Amino acid sequence: MHDEQILYDRLQHDFPLQPRPYQALAEGLGLCEHALLTLLARDFGAGRISRVGAVFAPNVIGVSTLAALSVPPAQLDRVAARINACAAVSHNYARNGHAYNLWFVAGARDRRLLDAALASIADQAGQAPLDLPMAREYHIDLGFPLTQRRTARTDRTDGTDRASLTVPHRRTRRAATPAPPVVLDDDDWRLVAALEAGLPLTPRPFHALALRTRLPLPHILERLAQWSAQGVIRRLGVVLHHGRFGYRYNAMCVWDVPDARVDAVGMRLARLARVTLCYRRARRLPDWPYNLFAMVHARDPQDLQPALTHIRATAGLDLTPGAVLVGTRCYKQRGTRYATAVAA
């Protein structure tokens, strides 16, 4: 299992931009191309892999938002199914800990189409969703680290022996530098649409992409390299369903941080090992006063609470108004489809 986790940590980043990328990856892992493709196909079929492809930086080629509804518990499954049917929705989770208990991410090519998707959801749900567009990212989807390391120190803020807890190993973090929005032409949008479905598990996946988009292979490889260098593509590689790797528990932590301090606190949070996502979003007063968000994942609920305690203490958030919304069910999880038509 540990060797598999190391393998998937490496496969989430730096997908080779060359005609036979799986062969190049396999050689670096001590495998043959066929063995690697067989492994990926097995785990794709088992639902452990979402896709192999690009994760675009938020609000660079399109627009997206985090939205929420307050749904009677007995109606959650029914309302969630209606939301899942919307092509703009990529993630949809039930969460407890707040009156807003159904949370989803929606994205589209532009704000007009996104607003139309949210209006359609409002009609279906009988209420307007809470619309929380991102204001600043601090740490967004750099991959989900699976390999574990143990910390050797004792946490001075709560006395917890941190050597008793395992935390995901990861690359050194720096504050995210957002890429500016880019203007795409028709060829670019065809390429984005093809990438959103994922690269095929064939020896020459970029050739298949060229056939699908009717674009020359050299142009595709050059464009992907350019987007990666510009930060338009946040990462290129395997996208995991982390719940299938044992991280079945998660909490969305939110705080009401004074605007003058939120960036400093957000960047501090983003550097903590247990924080997998961190960003600032718009408030929606009076219903939603919170502007700082952090996601925390764990293998079991007994590990989740100590992690949350440590994060609050380390980031100086013990006295800051906030809430913890624990995920209770995942209704939908896939990549954002910016290029997909979202009309109801």
Side-chain angles (χ1 to χ4, degrees):
M1 174 64 73
H2 185 67
D3 289 344
E4 181 185 76
Q5 291 174 344
I6 294 174
L7 180 144
Y8 274 118
D9 271 353
R10 296 180 64 179
L11 291 177
Q12 292 181 67
H13 305 272
D14 305 325
F15 194 78
L17 293 175
Q18 52 185 269
R20 296 194 70 157
Y22 296 113
Q23 183 180 63
L25 282 171
E27 290 173 354
L29 296 166
L31 301 171
C32 69
E33 181 184 52
H34 176 74
L36 178 59
L37 286 170
T38 299
L39 171 69
L40 293 174
R42 180 202 72 184
D43 286 345
F44 182 80
R48 304 177 84 204
I49 294 175
S50 171
R51 70 188 190 282
V52 179
V55 175
F56 287 93
N59 301 320
V60 172
I61 64 166
V63 295
S64 62
T65 195
L66 177 65
L69 295 168
S70 180
V71 181
Q75 298 179 27
L76 267 173
D77 291 350
R78 178 180 62 83
V79 175
R82 292 183 175 181
I83 291 174
N84 285 355
C86 177
V89 172
S90 57
H91 293 67
N92 189 11
Y93 278 83
R95 298 189 177 280
N96 62 21
H98 196 276
Y100 284 104
N101 57 352
L102 190 61
W103 290 80
F104 59 95
V105 176
R109 185 163 171 168
D110 56 43
R111 187 69 216 194
R112 178 184 61 83
L113 290 173
L114 181 57
D115 286 342
L118 294 177
S120 175
I121 289 171
D123 289 341
Q124 293 283 330
Q127 61 177 288
L130 189 70
D131 181 7
L132 305 171
M134 185 182 298
R136 180 169 177 183
E137 59 175 290
Y138 304 114
H139 175 66
I140 299 289
D141 203 346
L142 299 177
F144 192 91
L146 297 174
T147 50
Q148 305 291 303
R149 59 178 172 84
R150 291 186 179 272
T151 59
R153 65 182 177 84
T154 298
D155 186 282
R156 297 181 180 178
T157 58
D158 61 7
T160 303
D161 179 7
R162 301 304 295 172
S164 67
L165 302 175
T166 56
V167 298
H169 177 66
R170 70 188 347 129
R171 299 177 173 190
T172 300
R173 290 194 175 183
R174 297 178 177 84
T177 302
V182 295
V183 177
L184 305 185
D185 60 24
D186 290 343
D187 287 349
D188 291 333
W189 278 114
R190 287 208 308 277
L191 180 55
V192 169
L195 282 170
E196 287 175 350
L199 293 171
L201 297 177
T202 60
R204 299 179 183 274
F206 293 120
H207 285 76
L209 208 63
L211 290 173
R212 195 185 309 168
T213 60
R214 306 183 305 279
L215 297 172
L217 177 62
H219 172 82
I220 288 175
L221 297 178
E222 180 182 357
R223 201 63 163 149
L224 294 181
Q226 181 185 39
W227 284 347
S228 296
Q230 293 174 338
V232 175
I233 291 178
R234 179 57 47 80
R235 65 183 178 92
L236 189 64
V238 173
V239 181
L240 305 178
H241 284 305
H242 45 73
R244 299 296 179 93
F245 285 86
Y247 289 89
R248 296 185 177 89
Y249 300 89
N250 69 81
M252 184 177 76
C253 308
V254 297
W255 294 273
D256 178 9
V257 181
D259 291 340
R261 294 182 53 233
V262 64
D263 286 342
V265 177
M267 288 187 283
R268 191 184 312 147
L269 271 176
R271 290 192 290 267
L272 299 182
R274 298 306 297 268
V275 173
T276 50
L277 299 170
C278 187
Y279 38 77
R280 174 163 52 95
R281 291 187 179 274
R283 295 183 178 92
R284 289 290 184 252
L285 299 174
D287 297 326
W288 188 259
Y290 307 113
N291 60 340
L292 181 61
F293 293 66
M295 286 297 305
V296 180
H297 291 78
R299 290 184 178 275
D300 57 69
Q302 291 73 30
D303 183 31
L304 189 58
Q305 188 56 52
L308 297 175
T309 300
H310 175 69
I311 287 167
R312 283 193 294 263
T314 304
L317 289 165
D318 278 332
L319 301 179
T320 302
V324 176
L325 286 73
V326 176
T328 57
R329 181 167 179 182
C330 175
Y331 290 106
K332 188 175 186 179
Q333 182 185 354
R334 64 159 171 77
T336 305
R337 304 289 175 89
Y338 295 107
T340 301
V342 299

